[in-house]
Amino acid sequence: MNIGEVSKKSGLPAKTIRYYESIGLLPKPHRSEGGYRVYTSNDLMTLRFVQRARRLGFSVGDVENLLALWRDQHRSSSEVKKLAIQQIGSIDQRIRALENMRGVLIDLTERCHGDERPDCPILDDLADDETEDRFADETKT
Amino acid sequence: MNIGEVSKKSGLPAKTIRYYESIGLLPKPHRSEGGYRVYTSNDLMTLRFVQRARRLGFSVGDVENLLALWRDQHRSSSEVKKLAIQQIGSIDQRIRALENMRGVLIDLTERCHGDERPDCPILDDLADDETEDRFADETKT
DNA sequence: CTTGACCTTCCAGTAACTGGAAGGTGTACA
DNA sequence: TGTACACCTTCCAGTTACTGGAAGGTCAAG
């Protein structure tokens, strides 16, 4: 299979596959006479694995670890689970941060009449000295 | 005020303030004899505004628009509200994407016993051909 | 007159791609 | 046999929003 085909079958853009190869996440595939990358169905499985792990929000570095564990017949499932649980933690943090933003924005838009007039609590609050803490980052608690 | 002071008072790192200046988000401040940036309390207000808008997740480009509206006495509040509502929409999207990831990960970790043994549904599902759709990106709906 | 905190510019690196240019390959069709 | 066209190659640059670090200038105190 050429890169275009595995790209379609894995859901990873060809550019991205080459990029993953260049950073060492993926092993270098065989090359045809003409210099084209040639992939086996095994390679395709790896690409699928990578694509799914990325979709779950794992960083490229994490995917590297997951791939290593996947290939290691002697891994313990606890190592894998640990990575997954860390990932859930970081996702939870991001969700909380976004929900904070969302809350403030909802409040601001509800108080803004949104018509021709220039006065606007959104801008006022962003500028206002007294409003300090409503914009604070509460994700550290 | 020198940059260190406005940095403390605005919550923006000095590096970031210089960076914002370099990309044209902030106007060039006056300079002292020795070449130090000198900020007025007006400049400080702008820095605070920027910092708060960024904390609400607005992109630097959005902040530029918000700043322009803030400075424009003839703006209509509807323009501001529109930006805020767009921002809520994009936050909602991101939250939904993260919640999808979270759901899949929770399910995977619940099914993984996490002990010494190597067998692990997390890796199996990432690799498995039959598992396709559970990893699909449902944020487009 | 030196120490130390603070400031300056500039270059490079981060994450994870993405776009585009310039050019080679492979094949189907006239 | 030619040529059109899709597909492939490498390489360089750009994206977002900073951040780190080096090399060196400024300023106030002691």
mmCIF file of all heavy atoms in Angstrom, chain D residues 12-26:
data_model
loop_
_atom_site.group_PDB
_atom_site.id
_atom_site.type_symbol
_atom_site.label_atom_id
_atom_site.label_comp_id
_atom_site.label_asym_id
_atom_site.label_seq_id
_atom_site.Cartn_x
_atom_site.Cartn_y
_atom_site.Cartn_z
ATOM 1 P P DC D 12 15.604 22.753 3.679
ATOM 2 O OP1 DC D 12 17.050 22.828 3.436
ATOM 3 O OP2 DC D 12 15.099 22.174 4.942
ATOM 4 O "O5'" DC D 12 14.983 24.208 3.524
ATOM 5 C "C5'" DC D 12 14.316 24.593 2.306
ATOM 6 C "C4'" DC D 12 13.113 25.445 2.630
ATOM 7 O "O4'" DC D 12 11.914 24.625 2.700
ATOM 8 C "C3'" DC D 12 13.209 26.181 3.973
ATOM 9 O "O3'" DC D 12 12.931 27.548 3.737
ATOM 10 C "C2'" DC D 12 12.168 25.500 4.849
ATOM 11 C "C1'" DC D 12 11.147 25.038 3.803
ATOM 12 N N1 DC D 12 10.298 23.883 4.237
ATOM 13 C C2 DC D 12 8.915 23.946 4.012
ATOM 14 O O2 DC D 12 8.429 24.946 3.467
ATOM 15 N N3 DC D 12 8.140 22.902 4.400
ATOM 16 C C4 DC D 12 8.702 21.833 4.981
ATOM 17 N N4 DC D 12 7.903 20.842 5.339
ATOM 18 C C5 DC D 12 10.114 21.751 5.217
ATOM 19 C C6 DC D 12 10.864 22.792 4.831
ATOM 20 P P DA D 13 13.016 28.579 4.969
ATOM 21 O OP1 DA D 13 13.836 29.699 4.473
ATOM 22 O OP2 DA D 13 13.390 27.866 6.216
ATOM 23 O "O5'" DA D 13 11.505 29.062 5.085
ATOM 24 C "C5'" DA D 13 10.627 28.993 3.960
ATOM 25 C "C4'" DA D 13 9.216 29.233 4.434
ATOM 26 O "O4'" DA D 13 8.560 27.971 4.706
ATOM 27 C "C3'" DA D 13 9.130 30.045 5.722
ATOM 28 O "O3'" DA D 13 8.016 30.916 5.612
ATOM 29 C "C2'" DA D 13 8.902 28.985 6.787
ATOM 30 C "C1'" DA D 13 8.027 28.001 6.014
ATOM 31 N N9 DA D 13 8.045 26.642 6.542
ATOM 32 C C8 DA D 13 9.130 25.917 6.968
ATOM 33 N N7 DA D 13 8.832 24.717 7.395
ATOM 34 C C5 DA D 13 7.447 24.645 7.232
ATOM 35 C C6 DA D 13 6.505 23.639 7.499
ATOM 36 N N6 DA D 13 6.831 22.458 8.001
ATOM 37 N N1 DA D 13 5.201 23.907 7.216
ATOM 38 C C2 DA D 13 4.878 25.104 6.705
ATOM 39 N N3 DA D 13 5.673 26.130 6.403
ATOM 40 C C4 DA D 13 6.952 25.832 6.699
ATOM 41 P P DG D 14 7.698 31.951 6.779
ATOM 42 O OP1 DG D 14 7.529 33.283 6.168
ATOM 43 O OP2 DG D 14 8.657 31.743 7.887
ATOM 44 O "O5'" DG D 14 6.260 31.433 7.238
ATOM 45 C "C5'" DG D 14 5.197 31.263 6.286
ATOM 46 C "C4'" DG D 14 4.003 30.737 7.046
ATOM 47 O "O4'" DG D 14 4.223 29.350 7.377
ATOM 48 C "C3'" DG D 14 3.760 31.468 8.364
ATOM 49 O "O3'" DG D 14 2.369 31.718 8.514
ATOM 50 C "C2'" DG D 14 4.257 30.500 9.419
ATOM 51 C "C1'" DG D 14 3.985 29.149 8.759
ATOM 52 N N9 DG D 14 4.860 28.094 9.243
ATOM 53 C C8 DG D 14 6.234 28.119 9.344
ATOM 54 N N7 DG D 14 6.736 27.013 9.817
ATOM 55 C C5 DG D 14 5.627 26.205 10.045
ATOM 56 C C6 DG D 14 5.528 24.893 10.561
ATOM 57 O O6 DG D 14 6.433 24.155 10.929
ATOM 58 N N1 DG D 14 4.198 24.452 10.634
ATOM 59 C C2 DG D 14 3.108 25.191 10.255
ATOM 60 N N2 DG D 14 1.907 24.624 10.391
ATOM 61 N N3 DG D 14 3.182 26.421 9.768
ATOM 62 C C4 DG D 14 4.465 26.862 9.696
ATOM 63 P P DT D 15 1.908 32.762 9.621
ATOM 64 O OP1 DT D 15 0.983 33.725 8.972
ATOM 65 O OP2 DT D 15 3.072 33.232 10.419
ATOM 66 O "O5'" DT D 15 1.042 31.820 10.562
ATOM 67 C "C5'" DT D 15 0.107 30.892 9.991
ATOM 68 C "C4'" DT D 15 -0.279 29.885 11.038
ATOM 69 O "O4'" DT D 15 0.776 28.930 11.171
ATOM 70 C "C3'" DT D 15 -0.480 30.472 12.425
ATOM 71 O "O3'" DT D 15 -1.870 30.670 12.648
ATOM 72 C "C2'" DT D 15 0.110 29.427 13.374
ATOM 73 C "C1'" DT D 15 0.637 28.339 12.458
ATOM 74 N N1 DT D 15 1.961 27.778 12.830
ATOM 75 C C2 DT D 15 2.001 26.522 13.402
ATOM 76 O O2 DT D 15 1.003 25.871 13.634
ATOM 77 N N3 DT D 15 3.258 26.061 13.698
ATOM 78 C C4 DT D 15 4.454 26.719 13.483
ATOM 79 O O4 DT D 15 5.514 26.195 13.787
ATOM 80 C C5 DT D 15 4.340 28.031 12.876
ATOM 81 C C7 DT D 15 5.573 28.818 12.596
ATOM 82 C C6 DT D 15 3.119 28.494 12.585
ATOM 83 P P DT D 16 -2.369 31.790 13.621
ATOM 84 O OP1 DT D 16 -3.823 31.950 13.391
ATOM 85 O OP2 DT D 16 -1.439 32.937 13.540
ATOM 86 O "O5'" DT D 16 -2.155 31.145 15.050
ATOM 87 C "C5'" DT D 16 -2.910 30.018 15.420
ATOM 88 C "C4'" DT D 16 -2.680 29.802 16.894
ATOM 89 O "O4'" DT D 16 -1.470 29.037 17.050
ATOM 90 C "C3'" DT D 16 -2.481 31.101 17.681
ATOM 91 O "O3'" DT D 16 -3.256 31.022 18.870
ATOM 92 C "C2'" DT D 16 -0.983 31.134 17.979
ATOM 93 C "C1'" DT D 16 -0.615 29.672 17.992
ATOM 94 N N1 DT D 16 0.757 29.316 17.554
ATOM 95 C C2 DT D 16 1.281 28.120 18.009
ATOM 96 O O2 DT D 16 0.697 27.379 18.759
ATOM 97 N N3 DT D 16 2.538 27.857 17.547
ATOM 98 C C4 DT D 16 3.299 28.634 16.694
ATOM 99 O O4 DT D 16 4.416 28.267 16.349
ATOM 100 C C5 DT D 16 2.683 29.864 16.247
ATOM 101 C C7 DT D 16 3.412 30.764 15.313
ATOM 102 C C6 DT D 16 1.455 30.133 16.693
ATOM 103 P P DA D 17 -3.712 32.337 19.589
ATOM 104 O OP1 DA D 17 -5.041 32.127 20.195
ATOM 105 O OP2 DA D 17 -3.465 33.482 18.706
ATOM 106 O "O5'" DA D 17 -2.658 32.378 20.783
ATOM 107 C "C5'" DA D 17 -2.597 31.284 21.684
ATOM 108 C "C4'" DA D 17 -1.296 31.344 22.427
ATOM 109 O "O4'" DA D 17 -0.215 30.926 21.577
ATOM 110 C "C3'" DA D 17 -0.894 32.747 22.926
ATOM 111 O "O3'" DA D 17 -0.463 32.633 24.272
ATOM 112 C "C2'" DA D 17 0.263 33.114 22.016
ATOM 113 C "C1'" DA D 17 0.881 31.752 21.882
ATOM 114 N N9 DA D 17 1.922 31.611 20.865
ATOM 115 C C8 DA D 17 2.182 32.417 19.795
ATOM 116 N N7 DA D 17 3.222 32.042 19.090
ATOM 117 C C5 DA D 17 3.681 30.910 19.729
ATOM 118 C C6 DA D 17 4.748 30.038 19.495
ATOM 119 N N6 DA D 17 5.604 30.194 18.490
ATOM 120 N N1 DA D 17 4.919 28.998 20.337
ATOM 121 C C2 DA D 17 4.069 28.843 21.358
ATOM 122 N N3 DA D 17 3.016 29.590 21.686
ATOM 123 C C4 DA D 17 2.877 30.618 20.832
ATOM 124 P P DC D 18 -0.507 33.942 25.161
ATOM 125 O OP1 DC D 18 -0.490 33.505 26.563
ATOM 126 O OP2 DC D 18 -1.585 34.812 24.693
ATOM 127 O "O5'" DC D 18 0.851 34.668 24.796
ATOM 128 C "C5'" DC D 18 2.066 34.443 25.470
ATOM 129 C "C4'" DC D 18 2.550 33.018 25.364
ATOM 130 O "O4'" DC D 18 3.042 32.791 24.054
ATOM 131 C "C3'" DC D 18 3.682 32.728 26.320
ATOM 132 O "O3'" DC D 18 3.280 31.738 27.258
ATOM 133 C "C2'" DC D 18 4.829 32.249 25.480
ATOM 134 C "C1'" DC D 18 4.168 31.933 24.130
ATOM 135 N N1 DC D 18 5.065 32.222 22.976
ATOM 136 C C2 DC D 18 6.085 31.305 22.642
ATOM 137 O O2 DC D 18 6.208 30.280 23.312
ATOM 138 N N3 DC D 18 6.903 31.585 21.584
ATOM 139 C C4 DC D 18 6.732 32.701 20.893
ATOM 140 N N4 DC D 18 7.543 32.936 19.873
ATOM 141 C C5 DC D 18 5.702 33.650 21.224
ATOM 142 C C6 DC D 18 4.911 33.378 22.266
ATOM 143 P P DT D 19 3.919 31.718 28.715
ATOM 144 O OP1 DT D 19 3.175 30.707 29.478
ATOM 145 O OP2 DT D 19 4.070 33.095 29.217
ATOM 146 O "O5'" DT D 19 5.405 31.177 28.440
ATOM 147 C "C5'" DT D 19 5.628 29.782 28.278
ATOM 148 C "C4'" DT D 19 7.100 29.555 28.048
ATOM 149 O "O4'" DT D 19 7.493 30.089 26.769
ATOM 150 C "C3'" DT D 19 8.021 30.213 29.085
ATOM 151 O "O3'" DT D 19 8.747 29.160 29.701
ATOM 152 C "C2'" DT D 19 8.912 31.157 28.270
ATOM 153 C "C1'" DT D 19 8.817 30.570 26.873
ATOM 154 N N1 DT D 19 8.995 31.517 25.743
ATOM 155 C C2 DT D 19 9.910 31.212 24.768
ATOM 156 O O2 DT D 19 10.617 30.224 24.805
ATOM 157 N N3 DT D 19 9.981 32.113 23.749
ATOM 158 C C4 DT D 19 9.235 33.274 23.599
ATOM 159 O O4 DT D 19 9.388 34.003 22.629
ATOM 160 C C5 DT D 19 8.288 33.528 24.668
ATOM 161 C C7 DT D 19 7.430 34.742 24.610
ATOM 162 C C6 DT D 19 8.209 32.647 25.676
ATOM 163 P P DG D 20 9.717 29.428 30.918
ATOM 164 O OP1 DG D 20 9.548 28.302 31.862
ATOM 165 O OP2 DG D 20 9.579 30.819 31.386
ATOM 166 O "O5'" DG D 20 11.139 29.266 30.206
ATOM 167 C "C5'" DG D 20 11.331 28.245 29.263
ATOM 168 C "C4'" DG D 20 12.783 28.232 28.812
ATOM 169 O "O4'" DG D 20 12.907 29.004 27.590
ATOM 170 C "C3'" DG D 20 13.732 28.851 29.823
ATOM 171 O "O3'" DG D 20 14.878 28.008 29.896
ATOM 172 C "C2'" DG D 20 14.046 30.229 29.252
ATOM 173 C "C1'" DG D 20 13.875 30.026 27.737
ATOM 174 N N9 DG D 20 13.381 31.181 27.021
ATOM 175 C C8 DG D 20 12.330 31.997 27.384
ATOM 176 N N7 DG D 20 12.095 32.951 26.523
ATOM 177 C C5 DG D 20 13.045 32.756 25.536
ATOM 178 C C6 DG D 20 13.290 33.488 24.344
ATOM 179 O O6 DG D 20 12.682 34.483 23.912
ATOM 180 N N1 DG D 20 14.350 32.960 23.620
ATOM 181 C C2 DG D 20 15.084 31.863 24.000
ATOM 182 N N2 DG D 20 16.071 31.496 23.183
ATOM 183 N N3 DG D 20 14.870 31.170 25.101
ATOM 184 C C4 DG D 20 13.841 31.674 25.826
ATOM 185 P P DG D 21 16.082 28.319 30.838
ATOM 186 O OP1 DG D 21 16.667 27.021 31.231
ATOM 187 O OP2 DG D 21 15.644 29.286 31.871
ATOM 188 O "O5'" DG D 21 17.112 29.044 29.863
ATOM 189 C "C5'" DG D 21 17.410 28.471 28.594
ATOM 190 C "C4'" DG D 21 18.392 29.361 27.875
ATOM 191 O "O4'" DG D 21 17.666 30.406 27.170
ATOM 192 C "C3'" DG D 21 19.377 30.087 28.797
ATOM 193 O "O3'" DG D 21 20.655 30.076 28.179
ATOM 194 C "C2'" DG D 21 18.828 31.497 28.865
ATOM 195 C "C1'" DG D 21 18.271 31.640 27.460
ATOM 196 N N9 DG D 21 17.260 32.683 27.316
ATOM 197 C C8 DG D 21 16.262 33.003 28.202
ATOM 198 N N7 DG D 21 15.510 33.998 27.793
ATOM 199 C C5 DG D 21 16.057 34.358 26.574
ATOM 200 C C6 DG D 21 15.683 35.367 25.656
ATOM 201 O O6 DG D 21 14.759 36.176 25.762
ATOM 202 N N1 DG D 21 16.508 35.390 24.537
ATOM 203 C C2 DG D 21 17.564 34.545 24.334
ATOM 204 N N2 DG D 21 18.239 34.716 23.211
ATOM 205 N N3 DG D 21 17.925 33.594 25.169
ATOM 206 C C4 DG D 21 17.136 33.557 26.262
ATOM 207 P P DA D 22 21.930 30.376 29.078
ATOM 208 O OP1 DA D 22 22.599 29.081 29.334
ATOM 209 O OP2 DA D 22 21.564 31.267 30.196
ATOM 210 O "O5'" DA D 22 22.810 31.200 28.039
ATOM 211 C "C5'" DA D 22 22.769 30.879 26.639
ATOM 212 C "C4'" DA D 22 23.149 32.109 25.832
ATOM 213 O "O4'" DA D 22 22.001 32.978 25.686
ATOM 214 C "C3'" DA D 22 24.251 32.942 26.475
ATOM 215 O "O3'" DA D 22 25.182 33.339 25.477
ATOM 216 C "C2'" DA D 22 23.514 34.141 27.049
ATOM 217 C "C1'" DA D 22 22.365 34.286 26.063
ATOM 218 N N9 DA D 22 21.162 34.922 26.628
ATOM 219 C C8 DA D 22 20.516 34.596 27.791
ATOM 220 N N7 DA D 22 19.453 35.325 28.032
ATOM 221 C C5 DA D 22 19.390 36.191 26.958
ATOM 222 C C6 DA D 22 18.497 37.218 26.606
ATOM 223 N N6 DA D 22 17.445 37.551 27.346
ATOM 224 N N1 DA D 22 18.720 37.890 25.458
ATOM 225 C C2 DA D 22 19.779 37.560 24.709
ATOM 226 N N3 DA D 22 20.687 36.609 24.922
ATOM 227 C C4 DA D 22 20.430 35.954 26.080
ATOM 228 P P DA D 23 26.613 33.808 25.901
ATOM 229 O OP1 DA D 23 27.560 33.136 24.992
ATOM 230 O OP2 DA D 23 26.743 33.679 27.359
ATOM 231 O "O5'" DA D 23 26.569 35.364 25.538
ATOM 232 C "C5'" DA D 23 26.063 35.783 24.267
ATOM 233 C "C4'" DA D 23 25.887 37.289 24.291
ATOM 234 O "O4'" DA D 23 24.587 37.591 24.860
ATOM 235 C "C3'" DA D 23 26.913 38.008 25.163
ATOM 236 O "O3'" DA D 23 27.347 39.178 24.471
ATOM 237 C "C2'" DA D 23 26.149 38.344 26.436
ATOM 238 C "C1'" DA D 23 24.749 38.571 25.867
ATOM 239 N N9 DA D 23 23.660 38.412 26.832
ATOM 240 C C8 DA D 23 23.572 37.529 27.871
ATOM 241 N N7 DA D 23 22.467 37.629 28.569
ATOM 242 C C5 DA D 23 21.781 38.653 27.949
ATOM 243 C C6 DA D 23 20.535 39.255 28.204
ATOM 244 N N6 DA D 23 19.727 38.878 29.195
ATOM 245 N N1 DA D 23 20.149 40.251 27.400
ATOM 246 C C2 DA D 23 20.957 40.631 26.396
ATOM 247 N N3 DA D 23 22.142 40.147 26.045
ATOM 248 C C4 DA D 23 22.499 39.147 26.879
ATOM 249 P P DG D 24 28.539 40.005 25.048
ATOM 250 O OP1 DG D 24 29.360 40.355 23.861
ATOM 251 O OP2 DG D 24 29.128 39.341 26.227
ATOM 252 O "O5'" DG D 24 27.813 41.342 25.513
ATOM 253 C "C5'" DG D 24 26.897 41.976 24.629
ATOM 254 C "C4'" DG D 24 25.966 42.826 25.420
ATOM 255 O "O4'" DG D 24 25.118 41.999 26.258
ATOM 256 C "C3'" DG D 24 26.625 43.825 26.394
ATOM 257 O "O3'" DG D 24 26.197 45.126 26.052
ATOM 258 C "C2'" DG D 24 26.077 43.424 27.750
ATOM 259 C "C1'" DG D 24 24.763 42.800 27.337
ATOM 260 N N9 DG D 24 24.068 42.042 28.371
ATOM 261 C C8 DG D 24 24.483 40.918 29.041
ATOM 262 N N7 DG D 24 23.614 40.490 29.924
ATOM 263 C C5 DG D 24 22.571 41.390 29.827
ATOM 264 C C6 DG D 24 21.353 41.463 30.526
ATOM 265 O O6 DG D 24 20.913 40.721 31.411
ATOM 266 N N1 DG D 24 20.578 42.542 30.115
ATOM 267 C C2 DG D 24 20.940 43.434 29.140
ATOM 268 N N2 DG D 24 20.075 44.421 28.864
ATOM 269 N N3 DG D 24 22.063 43.388 28.473
ATOM 270 C C4 DG D 24 22.835 42.347 28.864
ATOM 271 P P DG D 25 26.974 46.350 26.637
ATOM 272 O OP1 DG D 25 27.615 46.993 25.468
ATOM 273 O OP2 DG D 25 27.773 45.949 27.812
ATOM 274 O "O5'" DG D 25 25.786 47.294 27.109
ATOM 275 C "C5'" DG D 25 24.810 47.732 26.145
ATOM 276 C "C4'" DG D 25 23.624 48.295 26.894
ATOM 277 O "O4'" DG D 25 23.051 47.234 27.705
ATOM 278 C "C3'" DG D 25 23.963 49.432 27.852
ATOM 279 O "O3'" DG D 25 22.920 50.407 27.802
ATOM 280 C "C2'" DG D 25 24.008 48.746 29.209
ATOM 281 C "C1'" DG D 25 22.928 47.688 29.037
ATOM 282 N N9 DG D 25 23.052 46.531 29.918
ATOM 283 C C8 DG D 25 24.015 45.557 29.884
ATOM 284 N N7 DG D 25 23.846 44.623 30.788
ATOM 285 C C5 DG D 25 22.699 45.023 31.460
ATOM 286 C C6 DG D 25 22.026 44.409 32.547
ATOM 287 O O6 DG D 25 22.309 43.378 33.157
ATOM 288 N N1 DG D 25 20.901 45.150 32.933
ATOM 289 C C2 DG D 25 20.488 46.308 32.326
ATOM 290 N N2 DG D 25 19.400 46.877 32.830
ATOM 291 N N3 DG D 25 21.103 46.888 31.316
ATOM 292 C C4 DG D 25 22.198 46.185 30.934
ATOM 293 P P DT D 26 23.080 51.711 28.717
ATOM 294 O OP1 DT D 26 22.428 52.791 27.971
ATOM 295 O OP2 DT D 26 24.497 51.819 29.161
ATOM 296 O "O5'" DT D 26 22.176 51.350 29.968
ATOM 297 C "C5'" DT D 26 20.760 51.200 29.777
ATOM 298 C "C4'" DT D 26 20.039 51.327 31.101
ATOM 299 O "O4'" DT D 26 20.284 50.162 31.925
ATOM 300 C "C3'" DT D 26 20.404 52.532 31.967
ATOM 301 O "O3'" DT D 26 19.199 52.960 32.568
ATOM 302 C "C2'" DT D 26 21.356 51.945 32.993
ATOM 303 C "C1'" DT D 26 20.732 50.567 33.202
ATOM 304 N N1 DT D 26 21.616 49.452 33.646
ATOM 305 C C2 DT D 26 21.216 48.679 34.712
ATOM 306 O O2 DT D 26 20.199 48.870 35.345
ATOM 307 N N3 DT D 26 22.075 47.646 35.025
ATOM 308 C C4 DT D 26 23.256 47.326 34.395
ATOM 309 O O4 DT D 26 23.933 46.378 34.764
ATOM 310 C C5 DT D 26 23.623 48.178 33.297
ATOM 311 C C7 DT D 26 24.898 47.916 32.539
ATOM 312 C C6 DT D 26 22.796 49.195 32.985
#
